[in-house]
């Protein structure tokens, strides 16, 4: 078997496969999604999209208890959702190996914050490994399973966007099928009520001391001596920046970032002049060194915000100029709702009605951008309904407040907000944008699509019945019918009860087929009033004062037609196959 | 041997496939290689940049400003946006096409006038009408492969090598049109 150029996430999937993983669970989240998508292609492995990260974690933990190797993957903020089982599973430990892959996003390429997963590792007392390229990622997954079983603990494998979404050469190997372990009933280990948990907490602390000692001799923690005036401590992708920026420096590369290989660091510190920790985000390694009484420099030289780079390392340590943030005066090109996106009409209406919108996370977050400008808040998945409820409790006279949430996000963590509003006699109107997929992360199935991760048919969650069962008023409307959407929003926000409006139409990218029709603007009829530009459709272009529809981009949704007071937007059937 | 190529464009223009083809060159030539693209928002028409690094041993997956031996741009505004990455003496190949961002469509700002002049005068950009060549090859989406063809020609890559790299990277179903597009770019008369 040869070497392949593969995505960091593919390398992780391959590593888990070769290590004999039996159960892999996840809720999608950039930049971690591809791992589980790829694993779903291996017939030897049971895989699933869980409704959220907490359930994904618990499912993997249950599989570990039963005696097989299990893996759960998520993006950094997903670990907030899974934090509850994470912390206590550090007490119970595992049976079959349990690996938790968490992808951080320094620089926030597609996230709402830049929290640092390494702090969770320390807070929960769970070892954390960090690979620096695809080949290491594959290797570290196997090591993580071995450590998990050897030390009886979950192990976190941390990646960042550059590793997860970077491609490099990886050597492919064979799958080794581990013998499943037997499950033996053991309440003192697995039933975490106080009497048992007290003992397990002591066990956890002892375990961490043992692992910390063993880390000193693990081959994934390596020292390379060069010029001894400068000694760099680093891990993960930052190692690559350091090697390129300072080829002559001595380097201690940590594969285990927590617990700290303290003796190894002390040995390194004794042999170099300036000891400098180079790390992205929080001063995590730096603070561990200081806790162990090892003086070092770190965040006095580097920002806590954003990614590092070769340039940032050179600028801090080699006197190079730091590239300034650029403002080249060029027009930005923010992402936009696609041409034909079913979310667009709702935001057009909400903007027109001047409604206060507690938004949520998904493609529909883009409803916040010009010209729709319809969203007032976005915090985390599921936050919108609870926030709308709170906003309204605080301002009982204001009726035009709504929550807007996607179908996948509603199932993930919106439903509890809805139950809250009903139970506590709220008057929230929650608009569920049901596009039959998890769009933002690249079209994953979820319980309401009626399909599994492997595209097999399954029981379809009925959102309407679910919301009714919660006690909310429910209306359903097509995303194409913006007049009806407007009427229903006006009606439901005026009523003093919790209500749900389900706006339905599949994501325009779902079937991959393009409509053979397009709209065009009759230049003679167009009065250049620009009303059609208010929906922010990327297919409608304004150049040199003339408004045109791009036939490459138009998805023939027809939303723009009703906005034109002069009937200038017309349908053209294209028979030529596109 | 060390080549750093930045590929820039708009979501949906196929920067990732273009980078995979250059990655194929690493396989053909026996080099190390790293490709890096930020996904996520790519599908939604945002600005997309892909880093391709070929060398005997590649460390950082990211090209530094002023470090790119070549910039391949599938859109003019994106060429301008990333031009500062070009090394002195590096080459820039630009698809002659303007795709209006929403910030321009809504009238908030204007599309840079004289984009082509800036690109050619300041960066020595080679401008190519790749879209008609792609369409003539059978698929408008092969602009990326057309540009790769011209890049190979301009940097002295043997046709057989780039063709082999293409074969390693493109789905069999799309290989024929892409081969035509590659040839069209390689033979393009400017
Ligand atoms: C806790 C958490 N997990 C995962 C993500 C990544 N993520 C962002 S939006 C989204 C789902 C969007 O799907 P949906 O709500 O159906 O809206 P759509 O994008 O289809 O409009 C996901 C998984 C996140 N931001 N936070």
């Amino acid at each position: 078997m040869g070497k392949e150029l593969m995505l960091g996430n593919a390398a992780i999937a391959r590593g888990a496969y070769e290590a004999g993983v039996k159960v892999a669970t996840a809720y999608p989240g950039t930049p971690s999604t591809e791992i589980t998508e790829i694993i779903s292609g291996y017939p030897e492995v049971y895989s699933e999209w869980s409704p959220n990260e907490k359930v994904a974690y618990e499912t993997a933990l249950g599989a570990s208890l039963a005696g097989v190797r299990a893996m759960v993957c998520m993006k950094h903020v997903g670990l907030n959702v899974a934090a509850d089982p994470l912390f206590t599973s550090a007490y119970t430990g595992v049976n079959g190996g349990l690996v938790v892959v968490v992808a951080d996003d320094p620089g926030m390429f597609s996230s709402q914050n830049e929290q640092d997963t390494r702090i969770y590792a320390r807070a929960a007392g769970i070892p954390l490994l960090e690979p620096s390229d695809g080949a290491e990622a594959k290797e570290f997954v196997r090591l993580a399973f071995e450590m998990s079983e050897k030390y009886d603990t979950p192990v976190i494998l941390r990646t960042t966007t550059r590793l997860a979404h970077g491609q490099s050469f990886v050597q492919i190997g064979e799958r080794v099928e581990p013998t499943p372990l037997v499950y033996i009933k053991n309440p003192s280990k697995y039933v975490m009520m106080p009497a048992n948990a007290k003992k397990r907490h002591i066990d956890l602390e002892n375990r961490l001391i043992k692992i910390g000692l063993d880390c000193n001799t693990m081959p994934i923690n390596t020292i390379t001596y060069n010029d001894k005036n400068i000694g760099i401590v680093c891990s993960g992708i930052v190692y690559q920046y350091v090697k390129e920026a300072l080829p002559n420096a001595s380097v201690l590369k940590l594969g285990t970032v927590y617990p700290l290989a303290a003796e190894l660091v002390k040995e390194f510190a004794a042999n170099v002049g300036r000891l400098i920790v180079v790390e992205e985000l929080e001063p995590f390694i730096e603070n561990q060194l200081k806790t162990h009484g090892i003086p070092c420099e770190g965040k006095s030289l580097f920002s806590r915000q954003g990614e590092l780079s070769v340039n940032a390392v050179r600028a801090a340590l080699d006197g190079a100029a730091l590239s300034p943030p650029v403002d080249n005066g060029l027009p930005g090109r923010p992402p936009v709702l696609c041409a034909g996106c079913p979310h667009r009409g709702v935001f057009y209406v909400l903007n027109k009605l001047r409604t206060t919108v507690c938004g949520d996370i998904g493609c529909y977050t883009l409803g916040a951008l010009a010209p729709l400008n319809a969203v007032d808040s976005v915090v985390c998945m599921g936050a919108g309904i609870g926030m709308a409820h709170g906003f309204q409790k605080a301002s009982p006279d204001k009726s035009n407040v709504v929550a807007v949430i996607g179908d996948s996000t509603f199932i993930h963590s919106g439903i509890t907000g809805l139950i809250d509003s009903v139970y506590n006699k709220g008057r929230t109107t929650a608009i569920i944008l049901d596009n039959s997929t998890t769009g933002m992360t690249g079209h994953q199935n979820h319980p309401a699509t009626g399909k599994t991760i492997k595209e097999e048919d399954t029981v379809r969650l009925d959102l309407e019945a679910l919301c009714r069962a919660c006690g909310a008023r429910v209306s359903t409307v097509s995303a194409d019918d913006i007049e009806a959407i407007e009427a229903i929003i006006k009606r439901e926000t005026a009523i003093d009860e919790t209500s749900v409006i389900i706006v339905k139409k599949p994501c325009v990218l779902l079937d991959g087929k393009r409509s053979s029709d397009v709209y065009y603007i009759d230049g003679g009829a167009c009065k250049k009033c620009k009303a059609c530009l208010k929906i922010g459709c990327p297919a409608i272009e304004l150049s040199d004062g003339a408004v045109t529809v791009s036939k490459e981009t138009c998805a023939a949704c027809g939303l723009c037609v009703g906005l034109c007071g002069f009937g200038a937007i017309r349908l053209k059937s294209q028979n030529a196959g596109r | 041997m060390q080549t750093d190529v930045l590929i820039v464009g708009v979501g949906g223009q196929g920067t990732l496939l273009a980078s995979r083809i250059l990655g194929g060159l690493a396989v053909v030539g026996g080099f190390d290689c790293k490709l890096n693209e930020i996904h996520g928002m790519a599908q939604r028409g945002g600005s997309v940049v892909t880093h391709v690094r070929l060398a005997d041993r590649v460390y950082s997956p990211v090209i530094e400003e002023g470090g790119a031996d070549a910039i391949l741009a599938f859109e003019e505004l994106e060429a301008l946006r990333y031009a500062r990455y070009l090394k002195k003496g590096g080459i820039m190949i630009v698809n002659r096409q303007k795709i209006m961002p929403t910030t321009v469509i809504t009238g908030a700002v204007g599309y840079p006038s004289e984009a082509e002049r800036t690109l050619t005068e300041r960066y020595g950009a080679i401008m190519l009408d790749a879209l008609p060549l792609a369409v003539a090859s059978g698929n408008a989406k092969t602009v990326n492969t057309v540009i790769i063809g011209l890049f190979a020609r301009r940097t002295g890559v043997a046709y057989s090598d780039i063709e082999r790299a293409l074969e390693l990277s493109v789905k069999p179903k799309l290989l024929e049109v892409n081969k035509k597009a590659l040839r069209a770019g390689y033979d393009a008369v400017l």
Side-chain angles (χ1 to χ4, degrees):
Chain A
M1 292 192 163
K3 260 200 219 168
E4 268 179 39
L5 192 56
M6 59 163 78
L7 207 58
N9 280 342
I12 293 170
R14 184 74 205 179
Y17 171 76
E18 290 177 12
V21 72
K22 268 285 177 200
V23 170
T25 62
Y27 180 73
T30 315
S32 70
T33 313
E34 297 86 358
I35 303 170
T36 314
E37 281 179 334
I38 292 167
I39 288 184
S40 74
Y42 296 121
E44 296 94 331
V45 187
Y46 169 79
S47 57
E48 70 170 40
W49 293 130
S50 312
N52 66 30
E53 292 85 352
K54 180 174 185 291
V55 178
Y57 195 99
E58 291 152 351
T59 305
L61 182 60
S64 154
L65 211 70
V68 303
R69 289 191 164 179
M71 183 161 90
V72 53
C73 303
M74 62 196 73
K75 71 180 291 170
H76 62 330
V77 285
L79 196 56
N80 300 331
V81 180
D84 208 359
L86 176 89
F87 275 72
T88 305
S89 65
Y91 282 25
T92 64
V94 304
N95 188 22
L98 176 61
V99 174
V100 185
V101 180
V102 188
D104 284 6
D105 189 16
M108 291 176 282
F109 293 98
S110 47
S111 306
Q112 69 268 36
N113 75 25
E114 348 182 60
Q115 66 185 51
D116 188 330
T117 291
R118 300 175 302 170
I119 292 172
Y120 265 112
R122 193 190 52 210
I126 293 178
L128 181 143
L129 309 185
E130 191 173 28
S132 72
D133 62 18
E136 271 186 16
K138 201 194 89 165
E139 181 62 14
F140 280 27
V141 177
R142 187 181 54 75
L143 272 172
F145 276 115
E146 287 171 8
M147 282 178 70
S148 172
E149 285 165 4
K150 176 170 177 192
Y151 298 106
D152 188 9
T153 176
V155 173
I156 298 175
L157 184 89
R158 177 197 191 225
T159 71
T160 54
T161 304
R162 290 290 174 192
L163 173 62
H165 281 172
Q167 304 191 36
S168 58
F169 284 112
V170 176
Q171 183 72 43
I172 304 295
E174 300 279 359
R175 176 174 170 96
V176 179
E177 205 69 58
T179 328
L181 303 165
V182 276
Y183 165 68
I184 299 164
K185 186 169 171 134
N186 186 355
S188 64
K189 178 162 160 30
Y190 296 123
V191 179
M192 286 303 92
M193 45 196 196
N196 294 339
K198 281 177 197 165
K199 295 194 193 107
R200 293 301 302 175
H201 187 187
I202 293 168
D203 186 86
L204 164 63
E205 296 304 324
N206 291 335
R207 184 197 308 158
L208 286 171
I209 293 170
K210 166 98 176 82
I211 302 173
L213 287 176
D214 289 359
C215 281
N216 293 308
T217 53
M218 285 187 194
I220 58 173
N221 299 319
T222 53
I223 296 179
T224 313
Y225 286 115
N226 250 315
D227 173 0
K228 293 193 175 173
N229 288 315
I230 287 195
I232 306 282
V233 184
C234 60
S235 73
I237 199 79
V238 173
Y239 169 75
Q240 310 289 355
Y241 302 144
V242 167
K243 284 302 279 184
E244 186 159 330
L246 308 168
N248 296 321
S250 295
V251 177
L252 167 53
K253 173 175 183 291
L254 293 172
T256 59
V257 175
Y258 182 80
L260 183 70
E263 294 312 313
L264 193 67
V265 181
K266 283 180 189 161
E267 176 198 320
F268 185 64
N271 284 306
V272 296
R274 258 178 103 183
L275 185 68
I276 298 158
V277 179
V278 185
E279 57 190 325
E280 288 175 331
L281 304 180
E282 296 301 305
F284 180 78
I285 299 175
E286 178 183 351
N287 287 350
Q288 284 194 90
L289 260 56
K290 289 180 174 161
T291 309
H292 281 89
I294 309 167
C296 62
E297 298 168 75
K299 287 294 158 182
S300 55
L301 301 166
F302 297 97
S303 171
R304 292 185 187 212
Q305 196 277 312
E307 291 189 289
L308 291 183
S309 63
V310 173
N311 174 250
V313 176
R314 282 196 186 124
L317 299 174
D318 208 13
L322 186 64
S323 309
V326 243
D327 175 19
N328 44 22
L330 296 170
R333 193 185 294 278
V336 285
L337 292 174
C338 303
C341 175
H343 299 337
R344 178 170 282 108
V346 173
F347 289 119
Y348 171 76
V349 171
L350 290 170
N351 181 24
K352 185 172 148 196
L353 298 177
R354 305 262 167 257
T355 311
T356 298
V357 176
C358 294
D360 228 297
I361 303 200
C363 290
Y364 50 89
T365 304
L366 298 174
L369 301 183
L372 295 164
N373 298 320
V375 177
D376 291 80
S377 71
V378 172
V379 176
C380 67
M381 284 187 71
I385 301 183
M387 287 182 69
H389 173 61
F391 201 108
Q392 244 155 355
K393 285 291 178 190
S395 42
D397 300 334
K398 185 171 160 62
S399 64
N400 62 339
V401 180
V402 302
V404 172
I405 187 165
D407 45 354
S408 185
T409 301
F410 178 71
I411 298 163
H412 175 279
S413 51
I415 180 160
T416 38
L418 183 69
I419 293 170
D420 182 35
S421 178
V422 174
Y423 169 55
N424 289 305
K425 304 181 181 178
R427 53 170 305 168
T428 308
T429 296
I431 302 177
I432 301 178
L433 302 177
D434 180 1
N435 61 353
S436 308
T437 189
T438 317
M440 183 78 195
T441 41
H443 301 108
Q444 292 76 30
N445 282 313
H446 60 62
T449 67
K451 300 266 187 201
T452 69
I453 192 169
K454 299 196 185 211
E455 291 291 333
E456 291 155 354
D457 289 329
T458 182
V459 177
R460 192 181 65 80
L461 174 68
D462 181 339
L463 287 178
E464 234 181 86
L466 178 67
C467 296
R468 279 217 174 84
C470 292
R473 295 166 49 85
V474 180
S475 327
T476 299
V477 57
S478 158
D480 285 332
D481 193 346
I482 59 172
E483 277 166 24
I485 292 171
E486 180 172 340
I488 295 173
I489 291 175
K490 282 184 180 155
R491 183 186 76 209
E492 294 301 323
T493 50
I495 294 172
D496 195 12
E497 280 176 53
T498 303
S499 59
V500 171
I501 305 172
I502 301 178
V503 182
K504 275 181 95 82
K505 186 180 177 184
C507 168
V508 64
L509 301 178
L510 255 191
D511 64 2
K513 283 201 277 306
R514 296 277 315 267
S515 153
S516 60
D517 296 337
V518 291
Y519 284 86
Y520 71 100
I521 294 180
D522 179 336
C526 175
K527 298 275 186 279
K528 303 189 173 55
C529 70
K530 300 180 191 165
C532 56
L533 294 176
K534 289 197 187 133
I535 50 173
C537 177
I540 307 181
E541 298 177 348
L542 172 72
S543 65
D544 305 327
V547 184
T548 53
V549 176
S550 154
K551 69 177 193 305
E552 278 80 31
T553 314
C554 178
C557 69
L559 185 67
C560 54
V561 177
L563 304 179
C564 181
F566 310 99
I569 306 181
R570 307 205 179 132
L571 187 65
K572 174 160 40 183
S573 282
Q574 302 237 94
N575 296 324
R578 273 194 312 164
Chain B
M1 144 76 202
Q2 158 141 17
T3 305
D4 290 340
V5 184
L6 201 72
I7 308 179
V8 304
V10 175
Q13 284 193 306
T15 54
L16 193 59
L17 176 66
S19 74
R20 290 283 303 184
I21 301 172
L22 296 183
L25 275 183
V27 177
V28 173
F31 309 120
D32 191 14
C33 165
K34 281 184 182 163
L35 314 178
N36 211 277
E37 180 185 271
I38 298 301
H39 311 200
M41 294 295 194
Q43 226 168 11
R44 280 145 209 99
S47 160
V48 187
V49 53
T50 303
H51 301 251
V52 180
R53 307 198 70 191
L54 307 180
D56 295 329
R57 165 87 204 248
V58 181
Y59 288 107
S60 167
V62 184
I63 300 168
E64 297 298 308
E65 287 183 24
D69 298 290
I71 292 184
L72 310 183
F74 300 164
E75 200 275 345
E76 293 169 36
L77 170 57
E78 297 313 310
L80 283 174
R81 193 185 313 285
Y82 291 102
R84 67 181 191 281
Y85 277 82
L86 194 66
K87 197 183 261 178
K88 278 205 182 68
I91 77 162
M92 185 192 269
I93 300 179
V94 181
N95 173 32
R96 190 179 277 121
Q97 192 179 346
K98 295 184 176 64
I99 301 176
M100 300 296 150
T102 38
T103 46
V104 171
I105 292 173
T106 56
V109 278
Y111 194 96
S113 57
E114 313 265 333
E116 175 162 345
R117 217 169 95 199
T118 314
L119 289 168
T120 49
E121 286 181 4
R122 204 175 299 165
Y123 304 101
I126 302 165
M127 305 295 298
L128 176 67
D129 282 305
L131 188 59
L133 294 176
V135 171
S137 305
N139 188 335
K141 295 226 171 234
T142 57
V143 163
N144 50 3
T145 310
V146 172
I147 298 282
I148 291 287
L150 182 60
F151 166 75
R153 173 65 157 266
R154 288 293 169 134
T155 51
V157 176
Y159 188 77
S160 55
D161 284 352
I162 194 71
E163 189 177 52
R164 180 82 198 101
L166 180 82
E167 287 163 0
L168 291 171
S169 331
V170 176
K171 289 191 198 116
K173 207 177 74 182
L174 295 172
L175 191 57
E176 266 326 293
V177 279
N178 274 286
K179 275 191 175 176
K180 279 191 199 152
L182 187 74
R183 188 85 239 180
Y186 201 84
D187 293 343
V189 186
L190 297 162

